């Protein structure tokens, strides 16, 4: 039952209405004036185009003004922010898909700030005298719910006082009469009976006090509810179990009703990250709440007495913001996704953004935002901020771009600030950021570094000399941890038809890469390999090999073994390979190059298409030579040793597979994926 003009005359309502009207005007201004850069022009030097801080003339981040609204604090996701602005204005649902830490939850919170507060409601649940298991629902303007509760409590208090007064009068009269007649024990018994009758019946008046299910009285913005990972009761509401279900000791059913996130977010935003982790039943009921705009609350456990209770429909007029990684769409209920898509927007969150002076200035503001949010960190010096920008460039993995995975970058800022604070420094300096980069390494990076050290202890990495059929490949553990992974090849007589046998826990894409390499070998080799087995081993690939970035490594190892030409062990390589011998781009080249440098290797061969993606640390630049290549013949020319044999082999390979190379038609870049 809805009541926007309730019968109760409550004080202060006129002033509240005026206040809400003013709030509505502010909400309109919010939607139309967002997105302006909050940096004064006198702090920007437009001529300093190459400056790491985008021309900002500041000494510390303390001089940067941080905007108040969350939507103004969002960095880089302009397309997603525009959609959020439209969705807030038109009350549309949104699904955001992208990598973790790219600002999905921040945009959802920002949407709640854009919604008008004057529409907020309090929700009360009342006892139903006709059916105690079907409590009644009432909605009133925000702030009025508490007043109604107080009014009912005051009325119940006065009623109870009157009943107590009458009870004590009756007890005194009966007890006095019993004393006069000399029936003392009977008087005590009668007084006790009257007392318990009054106390028992008194519970009925307490049951008339409604339960304030949703209270928005103190909210300055529309509600925001994060239901990520919520169980059914927390998401859909629940009714508590009552162990005392009879005998006058039971709790009224309306007092046991608990709202779910879908009810608390009424007139606001419901945010569910990793939407695919919700069970199908919860997704179906969530879809019903979106479609109907209301959803009854009942006990979620069949074994609970709360399962017998079902309220009248409770308003669920929320904006749904679903989020997740790419795999979230696979296990998401198709009808729920269709509901969001049909009545809203889908947006993919960017991982990187073009590196421009304006974006660099926003990244400096991001540093100031993180310092302000934490409240304990010292501000960053200019040099420290420049180091953070360099790290943002490096983590982007693309030349001319900055990373938008700002959660991990914010972690670096906090660690650097903690280091500065621990040393009693007034400001966070560049040395603190450099130290933080070492301390904030991911678990994968720490494992990779430990892995490299163990290999050194047991001489497992060969960085010098010439060995036939052995090539130093490069791989990535996790997202940002490079390792050296040797690949060995051996040719053996076959007991039947010759075949290529690859070991090392190879996954599907890696197995396909073996087939591509086999095609090149069969095409260029002068020897009859139909009676030979080609064995390829990924050394110590305990975690398995997922991608095809070791294709050039496999090809070089097999060709070296077939032709009996040794490989320079100071060379490492990475790259995918087409069946025509073209070297194709891969992911993670920066981390792979740094892993080679840490292992003492001198030269790293990478795909020419990846040359623009190299963003290695300064300390590694003098340690390795980076050689970009476009064709397998170039790889062999660099990696193999022994001039006469090598030259003959390379010339023969060029004559057979070099048509595409001579015409300049190398394969176009594919979408790199870290391997």
């Amino acid at each position: 039952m809805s009541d926007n003009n309730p019968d109760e005359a409550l004080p202060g309502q006129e002033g509240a209405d005026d206040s809400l009207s003013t709030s509505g005007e502010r909400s309109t201004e919010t939607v139309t004036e967002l997105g302006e850069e909050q940096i004064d022009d006198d702090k920007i030097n437009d001529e300093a185009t190459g400056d790491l801080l985008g021309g900002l003339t500041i000494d510390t981040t303390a001089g940067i003004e941080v905007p108040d609204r969350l939507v103004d604090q969002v960095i880089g996701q302009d397309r997603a922010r525009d959609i959020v602005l439209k969705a807030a204005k038109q009350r549309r649902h949104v699904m955001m898909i992208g990598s973790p830490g790219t600002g999905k939850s921040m945009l959802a919170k920002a949407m709640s700030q854009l919604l008008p507060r004057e529409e907020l409601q309090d929700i009360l649940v009342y006892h139903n005298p006709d059916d105690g298991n079907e409590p009644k629902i009432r909605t009133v303007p925000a702030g009025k719910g508490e007043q109604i509760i107080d009014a009912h409590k005051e009325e119940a208090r006065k009623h109870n006082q009157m009943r107590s007064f009458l009870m004590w009068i009756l007890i005194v009269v009966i007890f006095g009469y019993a004393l006069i007649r000399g029936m003392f024990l009977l008087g005590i018994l009668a007084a006790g009976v009257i007392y318990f009758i009054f106390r028992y019946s008194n519970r009925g008046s307490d049951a008339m006090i409604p339960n304030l299910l949703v209270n928005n009285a103190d909210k300055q913005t529309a509600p925001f509810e994060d239901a990520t990972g919520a169980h059914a009761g927390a998401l859909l509401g629940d009714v508590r179990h009552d162990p005392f279900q009879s005998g006058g000791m039971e709790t009224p059913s309306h007092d046991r009703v608990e709202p779910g996130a879908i009810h608390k977010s009424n007139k606001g935003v419901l945010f569910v990250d990793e939407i695919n982790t919700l069970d199908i039943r919860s997704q179906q009921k969530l879809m019903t709440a979106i479609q109907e705009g209301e959803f009854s609350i009942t006990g979620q456990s069949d074994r609970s007495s709360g399962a017998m209770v079902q309220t009248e429909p409770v308003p669920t007029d929320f904006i749904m913001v679903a989020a997740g990684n790419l795999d979230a769409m696979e296990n998401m209920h198709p009808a729920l996704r269709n509901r969001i898509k049909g009545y809203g927007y889908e947006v993919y969150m960017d991982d990187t953004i073009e590196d421009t002076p304006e974006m660099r200035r926003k990244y400096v503001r991001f540093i100031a935002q993180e310092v302000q949010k934490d409240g304990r960190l010292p501000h960053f010096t200019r040099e420290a901020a420049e180091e953070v920008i360099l790290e943002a460039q490096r983590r982007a993995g693309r030349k001319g771009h900055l990373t938008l995975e700002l959660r991990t970058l914010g972690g670096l800022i906090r660690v650097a600030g903690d280091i500065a604070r621990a040393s009693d420094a007034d400001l966070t300096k560049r040395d603190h950021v450099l130290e933080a980069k070492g301390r904030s390494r991911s678990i994968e990076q720490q494992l990779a570094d430990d892995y490299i050290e163990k290999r050194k202890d047991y001489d497992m990495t060969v960085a010098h000399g010439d060995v036939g059929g052995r090539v130093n490949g490069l791989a990535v553990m996790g997202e940002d941890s490079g390792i050296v992974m040797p690949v060995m090849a051996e040719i053996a007589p076959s007991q039947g038809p010759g075949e290529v046998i690859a070991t090392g826990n190879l996954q599907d894409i890696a197995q396909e890469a073996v087939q591509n390499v086999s095609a090149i070998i069969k095409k260029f080799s002068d020897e009859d390999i139909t009676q030979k087995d080609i064995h390829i081993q990924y050394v110590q690939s305990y975690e398995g090999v997922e991608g095809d970035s070791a294709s050039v490594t496999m090809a070089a190892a097999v060709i070296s073994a077939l032709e009996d030409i040794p490989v320079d062990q100071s060379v490492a390589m990475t790259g995918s390979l087409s069946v025509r011998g073209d070297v194709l781009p891969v992911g993670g080249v920066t981390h792979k190059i740094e892993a080679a440098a840490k292992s003492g290797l001198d030269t790293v061969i990478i795909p020419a298409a990846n040359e623009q993606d190299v963003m290695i640390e300064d300390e590694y630049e003098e340690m390795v030579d980076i050689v970009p290549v476009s064709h397998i013949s170039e790889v062999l020319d660099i990696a193999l040793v022994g001039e006469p044999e090598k030259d003959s082999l390379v010339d023969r390979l060029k004559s057979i597979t070099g048509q595409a190379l001579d015409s300049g038609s190398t394969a176009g870049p594919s979408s790199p994926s870290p391997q």
Side-chain angles (χ1 to χ4, degrees):
M1 56 194 255
S2 177
D3 186 3
N4 292 323
N5 295 295
D7 297 332
E8 287 87 353
L10 300 172
Q13 186 63 41
E14 296 81 3
D17 290 341
D18 294 341
S19 175
L20 293 175
S21 176
T22 304
S23 174
E25 295 174 1
R26 287 198 301 269
S27 298
T28 304
E29 294 174 0
T30 300
V31 174
T32 57
E33 296 180 0
L34 290 173
E36 299 298 328
E37 188 173 356
Q38 305 289 322
I39 298 178
D40 296 336
D41 292 338
D42 58 357
K43 295 180 181 178
I44 301 175
N45 180 8
D46 294 328
E47 297 179 358
T49 55
D51 181 33
L52 274 173
L53 302 190
L56 281 177
T57 56
I58 59 168
D59 295 325
T60 72
T61 55
I64 300 297
E65 182 181 353
V66 177
D68 294 329
R69 296 184 177 91
L70 282 176
V71 75
D72 288 329
Q73 298 179 16
V74 175
I75 305 294
Q77 304 288 356
D78 292 340
R79 183 162 51 94
R81 188 180 65 178
D82 290 343
I83 287 176
V84 164
L85 291 171
K86 293 176 183 176
K89 186 175 182 180
Q90 302 295 334
R91 296 193 63 83
R92 306 295 189 198
H93 306 298
V94 180
M95 183 163 75
M96 303 179 187
I97 299 297
S99 302
T102 50
K104 297 186 288 290
S105 61
M106 188 174 184
L107 280 168
K109 288 181 181 178
M111 183 183 287
S112 67
Q113 294 184 351
L114 303 176
L115 297 175
R117 186 192 180 282
E118 65 268 22
E119 294 185 3
L120 297 189
Q121 297 174 330
D122 290 342
I123 302 176
L124 300 108
V125 54
Y126 286 80
H127 171 68
N128 186 346
D130 298 326
D131 185 355
N133 286 330
E134 189 180 357
K136 293 183 175 294
I137 298 298
R138 178 185 180 189
T139 60
V140 296
K144 194 172 181 182
E146 289 182 341
Q147 300 176 25
I148 293 175
I149 296 292
D150 292 340
H152 275 277
K153 286 182 178 180
E154 180 63 22
E155 183 180 350
R157 186 184 65 80
K158 292 178 179 178
H159 182 70
N160 290 338
Q161 284 181 342
M162 180 60 67
R163 290 176 61 86
S164 296
F165 179 73
L166 292 175
M167 178 189 70
W168 287 112
I169 289 178
L170 282 175
I171 289 175
V172 170
V173 170
I174 291 173
F175 192 69
Y177 178 77
L179 286 177
I180 293 173
R181 299 297 299 269
M183 296 179 289
F184 181 74
L185 292 177
L186 183 61
I188 293 177
L189 180 62
V193 169
I194 292 173
Y195 176 81
F196 281 107
I197 289 175
F198 270 83
R199 297 297 294 179
Y200 178 81
S201 61
N202 190 44
R203 296 177 59 85
S205 62
D206 292 338
M208 299 306 294
I209 300 176
N211 177 19
L212 185 55
L213 201 64
V214 177
N215 184 7
N216 287 315
D218 298 328
K219 292 191 182 299
Q220 301 302 316
T221 61
F224 172 83
E225 291 294 326
D226 188 346
T228 302
H231 58 80
L235 177 67
L236 306 171
D238 203 351
V239 180
R240 298 193 306 273
H241 175 67
D242 183 12
F244 305 105
Q245 300 177 35
S246 61
M249 301 181 66
E250 69 276 5
T251 303
S253 59
H254 74 283
D255 275 340
R256 294 185 281 123
V257 176
E258 297 289 345
I262 61 175
H263 308 107
K264 295 177 183 178
S265 58
N266 183 48
K267 301 300 182 181
V269 174
L270 176 68
F271 176 69
V272 184
D273 201 358
E274 305 299 337
I275 183 70
N276 56 313
T277 60
L278 287 179
D279 62 76
I280 294 298
R281 179 173 171 270
S282 294
Q283 291 190 45
Q284 289 174 330
K285 294 191 174 183
L286 180 59
M287 180 179 63
T288 302
I290 293 174
Q291 180 176 350
E292 302 297 334
E294 56 185 18
F295 193 85
S296 298
I297 300 176
T298 186
Q300 298 298 326
S301 174
D302 293 337
R303 299 181 179 180
S304 168
S305 63
M308 300 174 60
V309 179
Q310 181 169 346
T311 69
E312 290 181 344
V314 182
T316 57
D317 183 18
F318 56 80
I319 295 177
M320 173 76 175
V321 179
N325 302 325
L326 281 173
D327 61 349
M329 295 183 292
E330 297 177 4
N331 298 322
M332 186 177 178
H333 196 293
L336 176 59
R337 184 185 174 190
N338 183 265
R339 179 69 54 183
I340 296 174
K341 186 177 181 179
Y343 293 90
Y345 301 89
E346 290 186 341
V347 57
Y348 182 76
M349 306 292 287
D350 297 324
D351 292 330
T352 64
I353 193 168
E354 186 178 356
D355 185 2
T356 64
E358 180 185 359
M359 284 310 305
R360 292 183 182 184
R361 292 194 292 269
K362 289 185 177 180
Y363 270 69
V364 178
R365 193 189 72 197
F366 171 71
I367 298 172
Q369 288 175 191
E370 293 301 302
V371 171
Q372 184 182 90
K373 286 179 184 177
D374 188 275
R376 299 177 298 246
L377 304 180
H379 275 281
F380 281 53
T381 64
R382 182 182 183 86
E383 293 74 18
E386 289 175 345
E387 192 61 38
V388 174
I389 300 296
L390 287 172
E391 183 65 13
Q393 294 174 339
R394 179 174 177 271
R395 295 188 181 190
R398 297 175 61 190
K399 204 78 169 182
H401 283 74
L402 296 167
T403 182
L404 285 177
E405 295 184 4
L406 298 179
R407 184 178 297 149
T408 55
L409 193 66
L412 174 67
I413 293 170
R414 284 182 285 276
V415 172
D418 289 342
I419 293 172
R421 190 164 175 259
S423 61
D424 294 327
D426 295 332
L427 294 170
T428 304
K429 301 179 181 178
R430 180 175 181 270
D431 292 341
H432 299 138
V433 178
L434 293 175
E435 185 178 348
K437 288 168 70 173
R439 291 192 183 183
S440 61
R441 294 176 302 161
S442 65
I443 293 294
E444 291 85 358
Q445 183 63 57
Q446 295 177 49
L447 287 172
D449 291 343
D450 185 61
Y451 188 53
I452 292 171
E453 288 301 318
K454 287 182 178 179
R455 283 190 169 190
K456 288 181 180 179
D457 293 341
Y458 293 97
D459 294 327
M460 302 179 72
T461 299
V462 180
H464 305 285
D466 307 327
V467 180
R470 184 189 188 281
V471 180
N472 288 316
L474 298 170
V476 171
M477 291 178 62
E479 297 180 355
D480 59 355
S481 309
I483 61 169
V484 177
M485 180 180 290
V487 175
M488 296 184 181
E490 189 66 46
I491 312 300
S494 175
Q495 302 299 320
E499 59 179 332
V500 178
I501 303 169
T503 60
N505 193 15
L506 275 64
Q507 306 302 313
D508 291 343
I509 297 178
Q511 291 282 5
E512 293 174 1
V514 173
Q515 300 303 318
N516 292 342
V517 170
S518 301
I520 296 173
I521 295 169
K522 292 174 183 177
K523 186 173 182 179
F524 96 90
S525 179
D526 285 340
E527 299 186 29
D528 182 9
I529 61 174
T530 58
Q531 301 300 318
K532 296 180 180 180
D533 286 339
I534 301 175
H535 294 266
I536 302 172
Q537 179 189 11
Y538 284 77
V539 180
Q540 290 191 325
S541 59
Y542 305 126
E543 301 299 325
V545 180
E546 295 184 357
D548 63 347
S549 66
S551 297
V552 294
T553 310
M554 282 192 294
V558 172
I559 293 170
S560 169
L562 269 175
E563 300 293 330
D564 196 23
I565 303 176
V567 177
D568 184 356
Q569 296 302 298
S570 67
V571 176
M573 61 186 68
T574 184
S576 182
L577 200 62
S578 75
V579 293
R580 301 187 65 181
D582 302 309
V583 180
L584 307 179
V586 294
V589 289
T590 295
H591 307 299
K592 293 174 181 178
I593 294 170
E594 292 180 351
K598 291 177 183 178
S599 298
L601 299 169
D602 298 329
T603 304
V604 179
I605 299 172
I606 65 169
N610 283 126
E611 187 176 7
Q612 62 178 352
D613 301 329
V614 177
M615 295 288 296
I616 63 174
E617 298 278 7
D618 295 340
E619 60 183 295
Y620 301 120
E621 288 184 353
E622 301 298 327
M623 297 174 65
V624 291
D625 293 325
I626 302 170
V627 183
V629 297
S630 300
H631 197 265
I632 185 63
S633 59
E634 299 175 62
V635 176
L636 299 176
D637 193 23
I638 297 167
L640 300 183
V641 295
E643 294 301 326
E645 297 85 355
K646 180 184 75 171
D647 292 344
S648 174
L649 172 65
V650 172
D651 291 341
R652 187 167 74 249
L653 185 60
K654 284 183 177 180
S655 67
I656 296 174
T657 62
Q659 295 178 359
L661 192 66
D662 294 337
S663 63
S665 58
T666 57
S670 61
S671 177
S673 59
Q675 302 140 45

